Amino acid sequence: MLSHNLGYPRVGSLRELKKANEQFWAGTIDRDALQKVARKIRHQNWETQQNAGISLIPSNDFSLYDHVLDTSLMVGAIPGRYHQLLDGKSNKELDLYFAMARGYQKNGLDINAMEMTKWFDTNYHYLVPEFVKDQKFKRYSDKVLLEFEDALQKGIVTKPVLLGPVTYLLLGKEKEAGFDRIDLLDSLLPIYISILKELSARGAEWVQLDEPGLVFDLNEKEKLAFLSAYSQIREALPKLRILVTTYFGPLEDNLGIATALPVDALHLDLTRGAETLPQILVDDSFVSSTKKLSLGVVDGRNIWKNDYRKSLKWIKTAVNVLGEDRVLVAPSSSLLHSPYDLELEKNEAVLTPEIKNWLAFAKQKLHEVTTLARLTTLDCSNDSAFLANQKAIESRRTSALIHKPAVKARVSEVRESDFDRQNAFAIRQAIQLEKLKLPLFPSTTIGSFPQTDEVRQLRAQFKKGALTLDEYETRIREEIVDSLRWQEELGIDVLVHGEFERNDMVEYFGEQLSGFVFTQNGWVQSYGSRCVKPPIIYGDVERAEPMTVKWSAFAQANSAKLVKGMLTGPVTILQWSFVRDDQPRKDTTFQIALAIRDEVVDLEKAGIKVIQIDEPAIREGLPLRKHAWKTYLKWAVDAFRLSAAGVADQTQIHTHMCYSEFNDIIDSIAAMDADVITIETSRSQMELLDAFAQFNYPNEIGPGVYDIHSPRVPTVDEMILLLEKALKVIPARNLWVNPDCGLKTRKWPETEAALRNMISAANLLRELVEVAG
């Protein structure tokens, strides 16, 4: 039975790519040194998969920044503003690539980056393709060919991976009116066919085309586009074996389209769409064909050890209908979303042996795939791998570490009144205007300031015992006071303490809550060089003591201005963790919400008048099918309200959201009832605000006026233009001025320059409105 993998993590087991990218951007290494690091990671990944026994090893799953951006470069979908960087020299391709990802501000040019948003319902961010009515596609990057050849030189015939043409179009945006991006398919396909022909000529036997768009709600035109695309590909390449992959959900009404595609194999994600398997096995046209069925039985997005008994039941069901030679075994999706290797976790004080035995990272998942392929035809009753697996599964099921009756009881006792503030927003707003005395267009930042090497070393020295608690806290207090003085001098209205004591906006809280465990090297790519180390929620969650009150109270005591208390919301903590799969996600979220509620109440008692509860992941958790939205949005919104509703009307509750499409859930965002929401709108040039205008959003809002994910410094005029756009749809009394996200990943010089421009823009806007009024 063939085993295969859809994709492998690409940042390096010790984040080598992150470090190399950042050195390249800083100019401390050249492109050859960067490519050397990238090549080494690819080679290590291929060797790891080969050693695990994977039959079909992917190539082109590696990316220096983002695989969707790679596709845009491959097909020449390069927005017009970057054309001035095209000079026909291959050694300039990397400059163009990173300019599209991060913006470009040098040599007299000032070009903003492409829009970024979430990859389906994951915490990975992709660069959104931009299309115009007369879009011309042209072969530009040959990365897929070069990486296939690179593997060939190592003696490995890989399975090249490309983002499928229809999903690529679905994930993009029309940047002008008057056309439907799906109509670009016929002009896009010749590029794909040209590349596939070259891959075939160079010896590729299988090619994987990722079409996760098949788990979306599709209209008839989009459904027919899949049939048209693959009919043309098949006609042009009758002998190349094509595997179409779907993942992140069931096929539902798209099953007939998927099974009708003229391809050699179809992949299903059984961890998030198990109901598709029995449906496809009674589809006469599929069963009577020669197509292979790839079963994604090992979860590519979570870290729990696979239950071999459950997976073998799925595999054997398919084999009984199709035969062994027509079934492939694989992870559910690319392992991009998993950490590299569990064996890198050496510190038993951080990750205990009992919990570690319940886990599998990317390298271990490869072995799960090949073991399942081997076990399918064996009697498992005496197989050591099967018996060890079942022992681990039973150990987790019966462990006393997991369940806390008092926590479960508290969730069961939540009442409807626990979700509501004392009064409606209109009443709260009047009280807050009187109590807080903020000016028109109040300015703030989202929470974090640059995490310099010195700050990171400070935390590292403390963890290693090189600094005492008193020494460490003295240094943190100095950082906070310096940042407060700087903000006061700059003229920001609502200050932040800078979060210098925090490693990560989720990990910091997880370390102080029960039911969480952590890793040393469990890094996962979020976007570009940004990696996160998600906590693992293994058991019931509660707060033992205040988590942020000490630092927030210290900051407020050191400034006459308002200083925000900064918290991460319950849905985001859930979404950005590896979540237990033995109870409903709603139950886990409500446990977290009650812990955050306790913290909010304690912050208010400590004199904090403005409290921000970040929920950037609330849109990310939205099911991919609309019929499932209502249930999720009800408990997600309730979880936020539960965390925020314990305070008096005069306490102003903020929330923050970023890099997601919010238009379809604007009513649910309003239902969260935050006094102020700050959101990302700068990369989309405020287009998101159309939804807020049409909905007549009632509360206060801070649309981000500059993109913090790019190093470029926007001008005052640029920010004024965005704020004037915002004023057309938001009442002046409800408009805040802020960046679009936290500043943790930026450097101080660009941060200082951008924030000075932002404050100048806010002051100028006040003058303009006063003159007009």
Side-chain angles (χ1 to χ4, degrees), residues 519-553:
T519 63
Q520 293 175 290
N521 295 293
W523 297 101
V524 176
Q525 186 181 26
S526 178
Y527 67 88
S529 68
R530 171 71 170 148
C531 299
V532 295
K533 190 151 54 71
I536 298 167
I537 306 177
Y538 71 88
D540 290 333
V541 177
E542 65 178 339
R543 188 195 75 148
E545 58 187 10
M547 301 178 286
T548 66
V549 173
K550 178 174 72 173
W551 294 116
S552 293

Side-chain angles (χ1 to χ4, degrees), residues 516-667:
F516 284 76
V517 73
F518 298 87
T519 63
Q520 293 175 290
N521 295 293
W523 297 101
V524 176
Q525 186 181 26
S526 178
Y527 67 88
S529 68
R530 171 71 170 148
C531 299
V532 295
K533 190 151 54 71
I536 298 167
I537 306 177
Y538 71 88
D540 290 333
V541 177
E542 65 178 339
R543 188 195 75 148
E545 58 187 10
M547 301 178 286
T548 66
V549 173
K550 178 174 72 173
W551 294 116
S552 293
F554 170 78
Q556 186 61 83
N558 278 273
S559 181
K561 287 195 166 187
L562 295 168
V563 182
K564 281 192 288 191
M566 298 299 306
L567 304 172
T568 303
V571 175
T572 297
I573 290 177
L574 179 93
Q575 284 292 131
W576 292 359
S577 300
F578 291 119
V579 183
R580 58 189 293 191
D581 57 0
D582 61 338
Q583 72 175 14
R585 294 169 72 86
K586 172 187 173 182
D587 294 354
T588 304
T589 311
F590 273 39
Q591 290 178 4
I592 302 169
L594 288 169
I596 299 299
R597 181 188 182 97
D598 293 342
E599 188 73 10
V600 170
V601 170
D602 282 347
L603 283 168
E604 183 184 58
K605 289 177 181 176
I608 308 302
K609 298 179 175 63
V610 181
I611 301 170
Q612 182 169 308
I613 308 171
D614 287 335
E615 281 291 21
I618 200 162
R619 172 63 173 81
E620 173 188 311
L622 195 68
L624 300 176
R625 295 292 192 137
K626 288 186 177 180
H627 66 73
W629 285 13
K630 183 177 180 181
T631 299
Y632 162 77
L633 287 169
K634 176 67 169 68
W635 64 254
V637 168
D638 280 351
F640 178 84
R641 293 173 67 110
L642 181 61
S643 71
V647 294
D649 287 343
Q650 66 230 36
T651 298
Q652 190 175 72
I653 297 293
H654 289 224
T655 192
H656 171 69
M657 299 179 184
C658 59
Y659 296 101
S660 287
E661 299 293 333
F662 298 113
N663 303 51
D664 292 334
I665 62 165
I666 190 68
D667 54 342

Side-chain angles (χ1 to χ4, degrees), residues 459-497:
R459 288 199 303 267
Q461 288 173 336
F462 174 60
K463 284 191 173 183
K464 292 175 182 176
L467 291 176
T468 67
L469 178 62
D470 284 345
E471 290 171 331
Y472 170 71
E473 292 192 341
T474 296
R475 296 279 300 279
I476 292 293
R477 284 192 289 267
E478 291 170 356
E479 293 282 351
I480 291 172
V481 171
D482 286 347
S483 76
L484 293 172
R485 296 292 89 83
W486 179 75
Q487 293 173 80
E488 290 166 347
E489 181 271 327
L490 195 62
I492 294 177
D493 299 305
V494 178
L495 313 187
V496 297
H497 78 286

Side-chain angles (χ1 to χ4, degrees), residues 58 67 163 169 188 197 203 208 230 240 246 280 406 428 490 496 571 615 629 647:
H67 60 279
L163 179 60
L169 292 174
L188 175 64
K197 282 183 175 179
Q208 174 182 316
Y230 285 90
L240 180 64
T246 68
I280 204 169
R428 299 198 309 270
L490 195 62
V496 297
V571 175
E615 281 291 21
W629 285 13
V647 294

Side-chain angles (χ1 to χ4, degrees), residues 138-149:
K138 180 182 179 181
R139 277 272 298 273
Y140 185 79
S141 170
D142 284 335
K143 171 182 176 292
V144 59
L145 302 173
L146 296 174
E147 292 186 10
F148 178 76
E149 291 279 5

Side-chain angles (χ1 to χ4, degrees), residues 707-744:
D707 171 25
I708 70 90
H709 292 81
S710 169
R712 68 177 294 272
V713 176
T715 65
V716 174
D717 288 345
E718 185 178 333
M719 295 192 207
I720 286 283
L721 182 63
L722 291 176
L723 287 167
E724 288 176 338
K725 280 187 179 182
L727 271 176
K728 293 177 181 178
V729 296
I730 299 171
R733 71 179 183 279
N734 287 2
L735 182 61
W736 284 65
V737 180
N738 47 263
D740 64 6
C741 203
L743 297 160
K744 175 181 177 180

